[in-house]
Amino acid sequence: MLTMNPIGGLRITLISTRPIRLTRDDTGYLAGYYSYEDCHFDLRRICEELGQRFIKAKIIGIDPQRKKIRLENRSEVSYDCASINVGIEPKSIEHSSSKADLMLIPLKPISRFIAHWERLMADLKDYKGSESLRLAVVGAGASGVEISIILKMLIDQHKWNAEVNLIHRHEFLSRQKTL
């Protein structure tokens, strides 16, 4: 919108560690409705096309008194007004085994989740065991429920030998529900 209605003297700078971002329709991608290209956009290219600045870097600090953003291995960036989306990255589970680490798929950051998801889809497709694979989604927030529904849909659609368990702590849902 600012490009269509420019404000004199305004310079926009976007700082991100990754120049490619998933759009908000990540569930459509996970469900197979959209390709990777359909759901991702190139931040660097968009900034260049709109005449804005893109910096690929990790932010390591912000000094609000000096109005400076500190970047890893780069010079500081000055700002007058900053909009910050720090995202989240979950803590790792203490005392988990290396085998468990391979089987745990944190949703955040989404870029890492996508690689795990694609591996999970390949593993489900290749599974030939007689016992049903038991998948667990921990957390009954919006993302947990969406992921559970998508997994159940894909399992049914492809007739994979697997089941999904949604694990949560909320009283308003059953203790553990197999989808």
Side-chain angles (χ1 to χ4, degrees), residues 1-15 43-44 46-55 69 77-83:
M1 293 303 298
L2 287 171
T3 302
M4 293 185 335
N5 299 304
I7 297 172
L10 178 67
R11 181 178 186 190
I12 297 173
T13 301
L14 177 62
I15 303 169
L43 296 175
R44 180 184 310 274
I46 291 170
C47 285
E48 288 173 0
E49 286 177 4
L50 298 175
Q52 308 305 327
R53 182 168 67 157
F54 177 84
I55 298 174
I69 297 175
V77 174
S78 297
Y79 69 90
D80 292 311
C81 178
S83 174

